[in-house]
Each structure stands twice: as C-alpha cells, then as structure tokens.
Amino acid sequence: MKLKQLLKNTSLDCSYPDLEISGVTSDSREVAPGFLFATLDNGVTNGIQYIPQAIKAGARVILTQAEPEQIYDDVLFLTCPNPNKIFGLVLKNFYNAQPQFLAAITGTNGKTSIADFVRQMIFALGYNAASMGTLGLIKNNQAPLPFNNTTPGAMTIHHTLSDLKKENFDYMIMETSSHGICQYRISGVDFKVAGFTNLTQDHLDFHKTMQNYYEAKKLLFTKIMPQGGTAVLNADIDVFEDLKNACLQAGHSVISYGHIGRDIQVLEERPLNNGQNIRLKFFGKESEVFIPLAGDFQVMNILCALGIASALIGKKEELLSLVPHIHGAKGRLQYIGTTAAGGAVYVDYAHTPDAIENILTAMRPHTQNKLHILFGCGGDRDKTKRPIMGKIAQSLADFVYVTDDNPRTEVPEIIRQEIMSGCPDALNIGDREKAIALAMERLKAGDVLLVAGKGHETGQYINGQVLPFNDEDVVKKYL
C-alpha cells in the first residue's frame, strides 16, 4: 500500500514521498523489509528504544514522537505529538474493513455484562454480532477467544475488526477501558454508539486522581467517536450533566437511562429468587418485563444494553421482548439454575472484600429464605483481605462455606484458616467440588447460594499446576 493512502485523513497526509509500504506494526520483532514501524506510549515506555531494531529488520518508515539523534539513511521519520492516535488511523486505512455498526462501552463497572447483553440481543434478532472485552472475542453464541487485556492493542483490534467484516459480521460491541482509551488503542474505530455506565474508584495507580480517570474515559466521546454518534449515558451518576454537555458539544445525540433517565427509566423493581420483575418507561412507553438476573446493578446494565442496542439497530419492541431470555455474562452474578428443592444457585467473580459485600447486599432482596455463600481466597496475593472477607461473609450471609480458590504456591489449609478467623462459624471444606455439592444439597426452597471467587475461570492453580475446574460446570453437574 502507498504511504499517502496509509496517511489518509490523518494530520500527516501532506508532502511525504509516496513510498510503497509492505506492512505496518508497533512490534519491532514483527518488522519486515518495507514496513512502517510505530513507536507507541504504553504508560511505561514510548517505544523509541526499539527504533534501531526495527530499522535493522528493514523498516522504511518510522512513526514516532521525535526523531532520534542518530541519522539513518533511506529511512523516513514521521513525527507527531501523539503517535498512538495516528497509528490507529493508519491501521484503519491499512485494513480498510470494519463491521458497519460498532459500539463501545466504558465505565468502572458493568462493561462485560453490557457488551454481552447487546451481542445476545442482536444475535437473537438474526444478525451476526460479536463482543470484545474481558471475556475475549465472542462471535454470536460461540465460545470466547481470549485476549490478554480488556481493551487489546490497536493492532489486535483492527485486525480483529477486519476479520469480522470478512466473516460478514455487521455488529460489534467493545469494552473500552480507561487505559485503552487514553492510550488511543481504539483510535480509527468508527463507533456509532458509545455507552457510559458509572464512575467509582479504580486504577488510581495509573491515573492518580478521579478527575484524571474520568477525563480519560470522556475522551471516548469527545475525541474518538466520530461526530454524529449516539451517547448512552447513566443519568443517575454525578458526572452525567458534564458528560451529556460534552457529548452534545461533540455533535452526538444522547440517550439517558436509569432511575431518573429521560429515555429509559426504571420505575419499579420486584425481586425474585431467580431474577426480578421490573416496570420501566422505554422511550415513552410503559412496560413490565422479567429480567432473569439479580441485583439493581443488573437492571442498570440491562437498561444501558437496551439503549445501545436500540441506537444500533432500532427494533425497540423486539429488543424489549428479548430481555426475559438474556443470560448473565460468564461468571458475573450468573444464574445457573434452581435445585429440585427450590434453591437458586449463582456464580460470581467476586474475590475482594468490596465485591463480596456488594453481591451479598444485592442478593438479599432476591432471597426469600436463607442466603448462602461459598468462597475462598487466592494464594500468593494480599493476605490481609482474608479475615476481612470472612467477617463480611458471616455478617451478611446466613451460611458460609470456606473452600479453596487458587492456592497457587501457598498451603491451602493456612489460607482457609486465615479466612476462618473472620468467620469462625463457617464450614471449612478444602475440596471445592465437594464444598459446592454439599452447599447445594443443603439448599431449601427460597434459598440462594452464591459460588464466589472464580467466575468464568476454567482452571484452578494449585502448587504450580493448573487443573481443569469451572464453577458453572460443577454446579450444573449437581443440579
């Protein structure tokens, strides 16, 4: 491909020689003769140190923030303040193929579930739909293809989008983390819709302040989504007015949702042990619908998913009719089934004190009788949280089962004893499968069991080995 074609619609599409470029990459190990190599800022390094290696491998063009002091013959340097942003646009031109209807979802919590819900809805309407994020890449209802990060690198994103287009996928919903946004990993992706869930403390080791964290996420709406998009925003959060105004100034329309949402508003929630009935106003029309998911936060996730899906595809009545058939994202307060005795079983990824407290609090209104929780703590990780999690579990649940999580290289019995110091009345059962089987056997009508800690994981790390293990599979085995 010619260089001018690669630089189309960037700030660098002016007076450079129109060289033939054989490929593009930001990994110096992948450079071949005739390549364009980009040095990217990943928050730790800016990639400039890899320029000599790339040139030695045959790079013809270097995209970078500043030229190196050393002079290289027959190598063209393209300098700009933000190579990350430009590189995304270069990749867009290089691959020249994306699904037609792309959506992004950001916020501290809920991204994985919402992306999954939107994919489920659009696929159920008969279209090819994919989602990309923490669970990996999911095409229609196929098994996930894993990624290393919630928002992978720009090369992976654009390559994936190109492949999806070739496979006749017109719909894609993508989780976008604050890191992925502010590092412009999603630059060049033509989002038509972007959603914002909420803003709570997270990633301050990277962003330093909550304001910086918020501003990083806001870039999705102000700098990345092309003008004329639709923003689906949570009206209940503190930053709603600021974000709404920023979106309108950027030329986007706004759909608001929540307890005070203008376009999609929840009016009433009636918890059940296998989900909840909700009454809502959906674009001016009042309806009642069953959601097979527990917790107010899942109601909010459904509302956001409805907003994104309706902005992508229309078909509002059809989308609403699909809600009772939604299933939870893998390992995110996922309802697995009900025992013969009438006890509901959920699997969740919660593995911190805050997460344990949140899921127990969320599930109490859905519990007609007794609330059970089964969990452990990972080895070679923060030991101080173990008794804290035990204490929270004992204070908020009626029955507690302490078992092994991922002991890694620690002695499992010691981990469990440290948890038990906070919940001395709990049952201590090291074998996780036996613990799940016993907890399910003890469920009575109206009880709820939360199997917490491992969520969607398919292995258990014990003494340097990874043994096959999945909570969902074990629960289904004993249902």
Side-chain angles (χ1 to χ4, degrees), residues 229-394:
T230 300
V232 180
L233 309 179
N234 184 347
D236 298 347
I237 60 177
D238 292 342
V239 298
F240 169 70
E241 288 296 331
D242 178 81
L243 188 56
K244 180 186 75 171
N245 292 333
C247 289
L248 294 174
Q249 290 172 14
H252 307 314
S253 60
V254 173
I255 292 173
S256 67
Y257 72 92
H259 295 92
I260 58 173
R262 181 194 63 191
D263 304 288
I264 308 174
Q265 182 184 15
V266 59
L267 303 173
E268 183 183 5
E269 302 172 33
R270 296 191 297 278
L272 306 169
N273 76 332
N274 64 338
Q276 52 199 314
N277 288 320
I278 68 167
R279 186 166 58 89
L280 77 162
K281 187 179 291 184
F282 189 52
F283 294 100
K285 184 177 180 179
E286 193 169 312
S287 300
E288 290 199 16
V289 64
F290 170 72
I291 297 179
L293 305 163
D296 176 70
F297 70 92
Q298 287 285 40
V299 173
M300 298 297 284
N301 289 342
I302 287 287
L303 299 189
C304 184
L306 283 169
I308 292 173
S310 62
L312 282 175
I313 204 169
K315 300 181 181 292
K316 295 181 176 64
E317 291 294 330
E318 292 96 326
L319 288 172
L320 200 59
S321 71
L322 295 173
V323 170
H325 308 289
I326 290 288
H327 56 79
K330 289 284 187 183
R332 272 37 178 204
L333 205 50
Q334 179 185 357
Y335 170 68
I336 308 300
T338 299
T339 66
V345 186
Y346 291 78
V347 168
D348 193 79
Y349 191 51
H351 56 278
T352 65
D354 180 64
I356 291 290
E357 182 175 359
N358 287 340
I359 62 165
L360 287 171
T361 302
M363 288 307 300
R364 179 56 74 177
H366 298 268
T367 307
Q368 299 166 359
N369 194 12
K370 301 296 184 181
L371 180 58
H372 305 238
I373 184 168
L374 179 150
F375 74 102
C377 287
D380 304 329
R381 298 293 187 269
D382 180 11
K383 296 183 179 183
T384 63
K385 72 178 184 180
R386 295 169 186 173
I388 298 172
M389 290 171 64
K391 185 175 181 180
I392 291 171
Q394 184 162 293

Side-chain angles (χ1 to χ4, degrees), residues 449-462:
L449 168 64
L450 291 166
V451 179
K454 291 179 58 61
H456 63 281
E457 293 179 357
T458 56
Q460 191 173 24
Y461 294 74
I462 302 175

Side-chain angles (χ1 to χ4, degrees), residues 1-187:
M1 182 178 285
K2 293 292 187 179
L3 181 60
K4 286 188 183 296
Q5 182 63 28
L6 280 178
L7 299 180
K8 184 180 178 181
N9 296 323
T10 75
S11 58
L12 301 176
D13 56 351
C14 300
S15 58
Y16 297 105
D18 201 12
L19 304 174
E20 183 68 32
I21 303 300
S22 59
V24 298
T25 186
S26 59
D27 187 336
S28 60
R29 297 166 297 184
E30 297 177 355
V31 172
F35 265 50
L36 179 150
F37 171 69
T39 67
L40 304 183
D41 187 342
N42 63 7
V44 180
T45 68
N46 59 15
I48 290 176
Q49 69 270 35
Y50 301 113
I51 289 177
Q53 182 180 345
I55 292 175
K56 184 177 180 180
R60 195 172 190 183
V61 176
I62 306 293
L63 175 63
T64 187
Q65 197 168 43
E67 291 190 32
E69 295 180 2
Q70 183 177 346
I71 297 175
Y72 294 93
D73 295 329
D74 301 322
V75 177
L76 176 63
F77 282 85
L78 308 179
T79 60
C80 62
N82 190 341
N84 294 44
K85 182 178 181 180
I86 298 298
F87 186 56
L89 299 173
V90 166
L91 288 169
K92 174 187 175 182
N93 293 328
F94 180 77
Y95 286 106
N96 195 32
Q98 299 180 14
Q100 184 177 359
F101 302 101
L102 293 164
I105 179 69
T106 195
T108 307
N109 302 308
K111 298 185 294 296
T112 299
S113 292
I114 292 166
D116 205 67
F117 296 162
V118 176
R119 176 188 53 75
Q120 289 181 50
M121 289 177 180
I122 294 177
F123 175 62
L125 291 174
Y127 302 90
N128 286 330
S131 57
M132 181 190 297
T134 304
L135 299 178
L137 173 67
I138 304 177
K139 302 175 185 179
N140 293 330
N141 62 350
Q142 298 175 19
L145 303 171
F147 289 134
N148 291 329
N149 299 308
T150 295
T151 308
M155 285 285 298
T156 299
I157 288 173
H158 282 275
H159 192 181
T160 301
L161 294 178
S162 175
D163 287 346
L164 287 170
K165 181 62 176 177
K166 293 173 185 175
E167 296 169 19
N168 296 315
F169 278 79
D170 283 330
Y171 293 88
M172 154 67 90
I173 173 73
M174 184 188 303
E175 295 179 56
T176 52
S177 66
S178 58
H179 293 69
I181 295 170
C182 69
Q183 292 174 5
Y184 283 89
R185 298 180 206 162
I186 52 175
S187 175

